[in-house]
Amino acid sequence: MADRPPVRDWATDFDHTDPTWVADPYPIWDELRQACPVAHSDRYGGAWLPTRHADVAAIAYDTDDFTSRSVVVTEYRPPNLAPRGIAPPITSDPPFHQGARRMLLPLMSPQVIAKWEPSTREYCQSLVHELAGREVVDAATEYAQHIPVRVIARMLGFPEDDADRFRGFVHHVLEDVTLPLELRLPGMQELFEYLRDQVKDHIDNPRDDLTTALLNADMGGEVADLSHVGGTIALLLLAGIDTTWSAIGASIWHLASHPEDRDRLVKEPDLLPTAVEEFLRAYAPVTMARLVKHDMDWHGCPMKEDDWILLSFPAANRDPEFFVDPDEVIIDRTDNRHAAFGLGIHRCAGSHLARMELRVALEVFLDAFPVFHLDDPAAVKWSAGQVRGPRTLPVHIG
Amino acid sequence: MVKIAIDSERCEGHGRCYSLAPKLVEPDDLGNGRVIGDGTVPADQEDNARQAEGNCPERAVLLEET
């Protein structure tokens, strides 16, 4: 990552890649929520940061004034590939968005995802089996990281041995965001060449998997063109990996540092689905982005066309106006309208898959290691960018 | 008596309702919530109905008390 000046003032100069934010963003959001509550920055060519749930929701629901053309804040503005965007439907706006989403959702429905649960559990069990007997393991790189990569590779019908390449693509697209365009292009090119080869192989050899299903899926009465299908596959490959890895890692981090919650889940495994929702609320990994469509005054903010909006669902999930005791992790919280998977028409299409993976990953880990704790809290490292989760997580399991 | 309904304009398929009240709501092929039957909530399902309402991020689960 390029060297960047430290943030002077969070209300007027915020930067979500600043080391202070990366280490602990929650106090920053709390301060902004009380004082600002929509921060601005000249960085990234102009960006805004709403911190209240009401403002995050209003922008998520407003597809007239904000476009999803690009959902990752970078130093440059992406080419305008409207109406589709580079990875439909996440980068699509209405009305095109609806057809692109309808094409994908039946393939990611809870009924479809349920069929992947037994093989996901088996895979998680094989991972803990490898770790058993060790004293300290890295729960981020030796456990959480592998699960979503393996599951999506199997679903798409891609070679499972390519897992390291997938993680390289993800790191490049989602974490190397401060690099200029010319340094980002070669990695993008490699990703698209890889996907082109996989799609071609599926056209030549159709099989019972998600890639073939997408190639044949109904997009407004016909099949979608190849660049549309390729963009959707890129989305499935990239969007589910860092995010789910982060959610699993953050949950293990919480349990490793809160033995009372860990013990309770070991004793009351039926509570796990409720606890999973609370982990998703408190440690929501994903921040999205929008671009402002046209100059306007938005609730007193002088927004300019092509300004970024850093749409922080994690900040919305910590808003005390919306949640009781938002900074407390309450694993049996009953009312939990959290926005970890977004709000409105862009609700995460992979949310049913992510929930299944997170629940199964925690269930298997707790079953194998009912007692574990952080080996060295200071050694835990969190990712920078719009996906937040532990990237180094040494846990004492022995 | 309590009746449950889904506002299909608001529902975005988060799936909290059919996870928390599977006897009252089921997923359609897109993963959106669909009420089973006429939406009448049996007494032993009222807690589930309230949880479904209280966990919908879009406020798309509607409970009507009569």
Side-chain angles (χ1 to χ4, degrees):
Chain A
M1 192 170 296
D3 278 333
R4 302 170 70 77
V7 166
R8 292 173 286 108
D9 180 314
W10 289 102
T12 58
D13 182 43
F14 74 84
D15 189 334
H16 59 301
T17 66
D18 187 274
T20 307
W21 173 304
V22 172
D24 188 10
Y26 306 107
I28 298 170
W29 301 337
D30 286 344
E31 189 187 308
L32 290 173
R33 217 182 276 114
Q34 288 167 28
C36 198
V38 182
H40 180 262
S41 181
D42 288 329
R43 299 180 188 225
Y44 303 98
W48 300 88
L49 170 68
T51 53
R52 297 170 58 235
H53 184 283
D55 291 335
V56 170
I59 292 172
Y61 290 135
D62 181 354
T63 55
D64 292 327
D65 294 318
F66 303 95
T67 169
S68 287
R69 199 172 92 219
S70 175
V71 291
V72 181
V73 170
T74 52
E75 290 289 356
Y76 56 90
R77 297 301 181 270
N80 189 347
L81 301 174
R84 177 196 297 151
I86 198 161
I90 200 172
T91 55
S92 315
D93 290 324
F96 180 88
H97 167 270
Q98 191 184 16
R101 187 165 169 83
R102 286 193 71 91
M103 166 181 149
L104 176 61
L105 286 185
L107 305 173
M108 301 295 284
S109 70
Q111 302 92 315
V112 170
I113 295 307
K115 295 179 193 149
W116 290 93
E117 183 166 332
S119 60
T120 302
R121 180 170 291 104
E122 247 170 64
Y123 182 61
C124 292
Q125 284 164 340
S126 74
L127 290 173
V128 295
H129 185 75
E130 290 287 311
L131 301 177
R134 302 244 311 267
E135 200 169 328
V136 177
V137 300
D138 189 324
T141 59
E142 295 185 284
Y143 185 65
Q145 167 173 263
H146 297 292
I147 299 160
V149 180
R150 173 65 69 105
V151 175
I152 199 67
R154 279 186 186 165
M155 288 177 72
L156 286 167
F158 289 5
E160 290 173 18
D161 292 344
D162 288 348
D164 286 339
R165 296 190 68 184
F166 302 162
R167 281 194 293 272
F169 296 145
V170 170
H171 181 84
H172 180 76
V173 171
L174 295 178
E175 295 188 24
D176 286 343
V177 292
T178 56
L179 296 178
L181 182 59
E182 62 271 22
L183 291 180
R184 282 172 61 83
L185 278 178
M188 303 281 185
Q189 190 64 26
E190 194 195 334
L191 166 63
F192 277 93
E193 280 168 15
Y194 178 85
L195 292 177
R196 192 192 55 205
D197 293 347
Q198 292 299 330
V199 167
K200 183 170 182 314
D201 183 49
H202 279 77
I203 292 170
D204 296 343
N205 307 290
R207 38 207 195 257
D208 180 19
D209 61 26
L210 191 47
T211 301
T212 299
L214 280 168
L215 285 164
N216 297 322
D218 178 71
M219 171 69 196
E222 47 193 55
V223 295
D225 64 57
L226 276 184
S227 55
H228 180 150
V229 175
T232 298
I233 292 172
L235 169 64
L236 291 172
L237 185 64
L238 298 181
I241 292 180
D242 249 24
T243 51
T244 313
W245 168 21
S246 297
I248 297 168
S251 303
I252 292 177
W253 173 79
H254 175 88
L255 294 171
S257 44
H258 294 80
E260 67 287 2
D261 287 346
R262 187 203 63 212
D263 288 347
R264 189 165 173 207
L265 287 179
V266 170
K267 286 196 194 87
E268 300 173 50
D270 290 349
L271 190 59
L272 190 55
T274 308
V276 157
E277 297 304 320
E278 180 66 345
F279 298 145
L280 285 167
R281 182 194 67 80
Y283 307 116
V286 183
T287 295
M288 293 304 302
R290 299 286 187 269
L291 285 165
V292 175
K293 271 193 181 173
H294 44 81
D295 294 2
M296 62 177 160
D297 178 289
W298 195 84
H299 299 244
C301 300
M303 293 185 174
K304 298 269 177 279
E305 182 181 352
D306 275 356
D307 278 352
W308 293 106
I309 305 289
L310 194 58
L311 197 58
S312 179
F313 295 110
N317 279 355
R318 296 282 189 131
D319 182 354
E321 268 186 48
F322 197 81
F323 293 97
V324 178
D325 296 331
D327 292 328
E328 298 291 316
V329 176
I330 303 167
I331 60 171
D332 58 358
R333 190 183 283 270
T334 48
D335 282 9
N336 194 349
R337 301 181 199 274
H338 72 76
F341 292 109
L343 292 167
I345 64 167
H346 289 284
R347 186 269 302 168
C348 170
S351 67
H352 305 295
L353 172 60
R355 281 190 162 105
M356 182 276 282
E357 291 176 327
L358 177 54
R359 174 173 49 78
V360 170
L362 294 179
E363 177 197 307
V364 171
F365 197 86
L366 283 162
D367 189 48
F369 312 118
V371 178
F372 59 93
H373 57 85
L374 290 181
D375 184 59
D376 172 11
V380 177
K381 297 279 179 291
W382 297 80
S383 56
Q386 285 175 233
V387 181
R388 175 177 174 77
R391 292 295 174 265
T392 306
L393 181 59
V395 171
H396 208 280
I397 56 167
Chain B
M1 198 183 72
V2 179
K3 281 194 99 166
I4 189 168
I6 305 288
D7 181 341
S8 60
E9 292 288 303
R10 286 181 169 231
C11 176
E12 296 291 354
H14 292 260
R16 304 301 298 125
C17 51
Y18 49 76
S19 297
L20 292 162
K23 291 185 177 166
L24 304 174
V25 189
E26 63 186 356
D28 69 10
D29 68 323
L30 298 178
N32 290 344
R34 181 168 61 198
V35 169
I36 300 168
D38 71 354
T40 302
V41 177
D44 68 350
Q45 288 292 309
E46 278 190 23
D47 273 358
N48 301 71
R50 286 185 211 293
Q51 283 181 37
E53 193 282 327
N55 282 272
C56 178
E58 313 285 354
R59 294 185 186 272
V61 177
L62 310 172
L63 296 186
E64 190 192 347
E65 320 243 355
T66 52

